Amino acid sequence: MPDAARSALDDAVRAVPAEQFHGADGRAVRPCTPAEVTHRHLGLLDIRPGDAVLDIGVGSGLSAALAARLAGPEGRVTAVEIDAGLAARARALYAAHGHRVEVVVGDGLHGHTGRAPYDRILAGVTPPAVPDAWLRQLRPGGLLLCGVRVCDLPGGYAIARIRTGERNRPRQVTVHQGGYMPAAGPVADERVTRARARAGEPGPPGPPERSLTLLGAHEPGLAEAFLAALTDAAHIDPAPLHGSDWFHLKDWLMAAEPPWLLEATLERGNGIGVGHRTPDGTAHAALVTGFHLIADRGDSPALADLDGLIRRWRESGSPRTHQLRAELRQEGDRWHARIGTTA
């Protein structure tokens, strides 16, 4: 971010404290994007003085207020919210604190044509696919920041920064680690196979319920066998990753799509990994979470596969999510986000 834009964002953050949008109990509405995440995403959106901005999904009201501060008196900020109660709450807070934001009630998946075109659109939700309406309501060269699905696995969420070109088609797409709450809408067929531990099966009692999602269409018994292998895991080590590395590795694995890629929830947490089936049909599985490396046994071929993938990620420079290759593929009036490795 250029120094001038960074300075403008810092000034806006100081002028519009998140506490303005907390309730009488001192808490923000739920669900609500943390203020520091909103600040980071507004930095990616690069709102300039005089910009026309659309904020989809008003939430606590903070993001639109900050956008209004960045756009300045010559700019225009419109917030569209499907929940009339949240819209009324935000409208009252904007009036009380002097923020120049117009709030309208409507389905944000359609954008808001009444004030289009926009220079910037911030959609604080993750639709099943990016509506073409959002792109059509941007000026050429405008920016859209929104949640996207980049993989059919449960954790396949990211934040997309999309710049439009001629005829409002995507010209430049990058994805960033993170995600927004899912928005309702028609969901495309998912290419996954699911397994879930049934009542009475062996395993620790209580939540979370053990489950596994295997990327691709396979016979259900295979996903169940991988889940059983992880449930009975005999090999547990500390995770070979630190801090945010797990999130970036997860996104890289989804981009690479190795065979038998899976995501599982166990008593030790949620993680991503791979399965392996030997010629005799035996199922093996290995999983890495933010805290543990889990496998059915120490000499598991699945663990060897996962170790090799982690080594490949490191040898390629431990790429961050925003360094992955990203694109949008059009399907009717929607755009699907996909990511891939650069090598």
Side-chain angles (χ1 to χ4, degrees):
M1 182 189 301
D3 290 344
R6 171 68 66 186
S7 177
L9 179 58
D10 289 344
D11 289 345
V13 169
R14 284 191 291 268
V16 186
E19 289 74 19
Q20 287 184 358
F21 299 92
H22 291 181
D25 60 357
R27 299 181 179 182
V29 297
R30 293 289 183 265
C32 179
T33 303
E36 59 272 17
V37 175
T38 296
H39 300 160
R40 184 167 67 249
H41 290 172
L42 284 170
L44 291 171
L45 200 56
D46 190 25
I47 297 171
R48 309 290 181 85
D51 277 351
V53 182
L54 177 64
D55 186 356
I56 297 172
V58 74
S60 71
L62 175 63
S63 57
L66 286 164
R69 181 77 183 190
L70 291 166
E74 301 303 317
R76 184 182 72 244
V77 176
T78 306
V80 59
E81 170 57 51
I82 197 168
D83 185 315
L86 276 181
R89 176 186 183 277
R91 194 178 290 119
L93 286 169
Y94 296 146
H97 295 288
H99 301 303
R100 298 174 59 255
V101 179
E102 178 187 2
V103 183
V104 296
V105 177
D107 186 349
L109 289 178
H110 303 303
H112 182 63
T113 58
R115 288 289 191 170
Y118 303 98
D119 300 287
R120 303 286 189 267
I121 296 178
L122 173 62
V125 296
T126 301
V130 178
D132 191 52
W134 292 356
L135 300 178
R136 286 188 280 105
Q137 290 174 31
L138 276 172
R139 289 192 174 95
L143 283 173
L144 163 65
L145 195 79
C146 65
V148 290
R149 293 280 292 156
V150 295
C151 177
D152 290 339
L153 289 177
Y157 291 93
I159 300 294
R161 183 182 190 266
I162 304 163
R163 187 179 293 279
T164 55
E166 295 181 0
R167 299 187 300 278
N168 299 91
R169 296 183 67 83
R171 178 168 64 84
Q172 183 185 57
V173 183
T174 57
V175 294
H176 299 260
Q177 189 275 316
Y180 285 123
M181 288 291 294
V187 179
D189 292 338
E190 294 180 309
R191 302 179 301 115
V192 296
T193 307
R194 292 185 172 87
R196 194 173 298 275
R198 289 185 283 271
E201 286 189 348
E209 184 178 21
R210 288 168 287 133
S211 62
L212 182 144
T213 305
L214 178 62
L215 188 62
H218 306 280
E219 66 274 21
L222 182 59
E224 292 170 0
F226 288 151
L227 178 57
L230 288 170
T231 299
D232 298 332
H235 181 88
I236 301 174
D237 277 338
L241 303 162
H242 303 283
S244 64
D245 278 356
W246 181 84
F247 296 100
H248 296 293
L249 172 66
K250 173 181 70 73
D251 292 339
W252 181 87
L253 286 169
M254 290 181 180
E257 284 199 15
W260 315 117
L261 183 66
L262 56 85
E263 189 175 341
T265 297
L266 308 172
E267 63 274 8
R268 291 183 179 271
N270 178 267
I272 192 165
V274 291
H276 186 111
R277 187 162 55 176
T278 55
D280 66 359
T282 303
H284 304 271
L287 194 75
V288 60
T289 75
F291 302 97
H292 301 98
L293 183 64
I294 303 167
D296 58 299
R297 64 191 201 202
D299 61 348
S300 169
L303 180 58
D305 292 343
L306 183 56
D307 282 340
L309 287 164
I310 295 173
R311 185 167 58 252
R312 271 182 56 196
W313 175 71
R314 285 178 168 149
E315 288 172 350
S316 62
S318 303
R320 311 289 91 178
T321 301
H322 69 270
Q323 295 173 312
L324 299 174
R325 176 171 45 85
E327 63 176 350
L328 292 180
R329 302 171 185 171
Q330 189 170 17
E331 182 182 290
D333 61 354
R334 300 187 297 167
W335 296 81
H336 296 276
R338 285 295 177 260
I339 53 178
T341 58
T342 55

